[in-house]
Amino acid sequence: MTLLTWLYVPADRAEIVAKALAAGADAVVVDLQDAVAVERKDAARGNLVEHLAAWSERAVTHGVELHVRVNEIGGDPGVRDLAVLGSLDGIDVIRVPRVEQSGDLDPVREAWGDRDLRLHPLIETARGLRHAFEIAAAPDVVAISLGEGDLSVDLGVADEDGLAWARSSLVVAAAAAGLPAPSMSVFGDLSDTRGLADSCALGRRLGMRGRAAIHPRQLPAIVEAFTPSAREIALAERVIDAAERSGGAQRLADGRFVDAPVVRAARRVLSRRRDRHEKEETT
């Protein structure tokens, strides 16, 4: 099933992680990086060691993937993270920040050993964006996304308009590597529900899919924004019906032209709706 929501929670708050796993997100990202103060890094790692088995069991119960975001691999906190993770089981995906070339992922592979590894690199610099196609195609990579806060600083852009090219580039890189469409970064203003919805709509038009969240209250707006509407479903069904009846290209009553690419798009819409139904039925 395609994921739509990733809920970030600080690893140094074990009780928050436990609650997040039942909050309705598709995945929970236990964060060792930005959500944890420098003086709390050891406590965060300690929680991971102590509670991971229980968190993993809870994740399975709620049909949630359990992800961990490590600190930047080039620094001491990242090295310490990998030393801990190398002995743990129960993590579905490791998010790796500030990846600038495919080789930056090698230390994670070395720490992980021969076990199955699923990596989610975060592109947060201009250099990383330049090598996005190479990173997306690297072994063990199952998804790729932008770290838009850091990237905005690196590029000197002030708002979402300045990220349009970066977002579109990553959409192409993911598609070329056969990965799911990239998800959007967190929307930082918890009080601005309308702004969140508008931002999600913009990302969706660019080909992005789903979004990370920093609070459970953001999840419904994200799901609604990336789930096909009743109107989209109805149109997709008309397209499929017309294609099956005609066996070739034709024009609908409203003037829309139906050919093979339009049919593929319609099937994708219906598939996404089925995904959400299946998710809702299992939670």
Side-chain angles (χ1 to χ4, degrees):
M1 186 191 75
T2 302
L3 308 185
L4 286 186
T5 52
W6 296 259
L7 180 59
Y8 272 97
V9 286
D12 63 333
R13 298 286 303 279
E15 73 284 1
I16 300 297
V17 176
K19 290 179 181 179
L21 290 165
D26 295 327
V28 168
V29 184
V30 180
D31 193 14
L32 295 168
Q33 194 202 19
D34 288 345
V36 179
V38 173
E39 65 273 14
R40 296 282 298 167
K41 299 289 187 184
D42 286 337
R45 294 185 197 99
N47 276 343
L48 199 60
V49 172
E50 180 179 356
H51 299 288
L52 180 59
W55 290 344
S56 179
E57 183 177 339
R58 190 172 175 85
V60 171
T61 298
H62 291 282
V64 179
E65 287 195 5
L66 183 62
H67 299 195
V68 172
R69 179 169 71 172
V70 297
N71 286 278
E72 187 176 345
I73 298 302
D76 182 66
V79 172
R80 291 173 179 265
D81 291 346
L82 294 186
V84 168
L85 292 181
S87 62
L88 298 178
D89 291 310
I91 300 170
D92 293 306
V93 174
I94 298 178
R95 287 197 169 208
V96 186
R98 211 173 177 83
V99 176
E100 295 189 324
Q101 56 187 351
S102 62
D104 292 346
L105 300 170
D106 289 343
V108 187
R109 297 190 187 95
E110 293 167 6
W112 204 249
D114 295 331
R115 296 172 295 164
D116 289 339
L117 177 62
R118 301 173 72 212
L119 295 171
H120 184 142
L122 300 174
I123 305 301
E124 304 184 85
T125 65
R127 189 165 184 263
L129 193 60
R130 179 187 176 191
H131 295 105
F133 284 78
E134 164 202 332
I135 296 167
D140 305 315
V141 171
V142 297
I144 190 168
S145 60
L146 298 175
E148 293 183 352
D150 286 336
L151 183 60
S152 293
V153 173
D154 199 45
L155 298 179
V157 302
D159 53 32
E160 287 194 291
D161 290 343
L163 291 172
W165 185 85
R167 287 172 167 173
S168 294
S169 294
L170 210 68
V171 168
V172 177
L179 301 180
S183 57
M184 301 182 74
S185 292
V186 298
F187 186 84
D189 189 345
L190 287 176
S191 65
D192 189 4
T193 305
R194 181 71 262 165
L196 171 60
D198 290 343
S199 177
C200 288
L202 174 60
R204 186 179 176 188
R205 289 195 296 273
L206 291 173
M208 306 186 85
R209 178 87 171 135
R211 187 164 206 156
I214 54 174
H215 195 281
R217 76 177 69 161
Q218 294 180 315
L219 301 178
I222 295 171
V223 171
E224 181 178 1
F226 288 99
T227 299
S229 66
R231 182 183 179 198
E232 289 174 305
I233 294 294
L235 175 59
E237 289 174 341
R238 291 204 307 274
V239 166
I240 298 299
D241 181 65
E244 290 177 347
R245 282 188 287 106
S246 71
Q250 68 162 289
R251 182 171 295 177
L252 296 180
D254 63 4
R256 298 174 190 262
F257 188 71
V258 176
D259 60 3
V262 174
V263 173
R264 287 199 301 272
R267 294 193 190 281
R268 180 178 296 177
V269 168
L270 297 182
S271 175
R272 288 175 175 175
R273 178 64 267 185
R274 284 194 298 272
D275 273 356
R276 295 321 300 174
H277 277 315
E278 291 173 3
K279 170 67 178 178
E280 292 160 5
E281 289 171 357
T282 57
T283 56

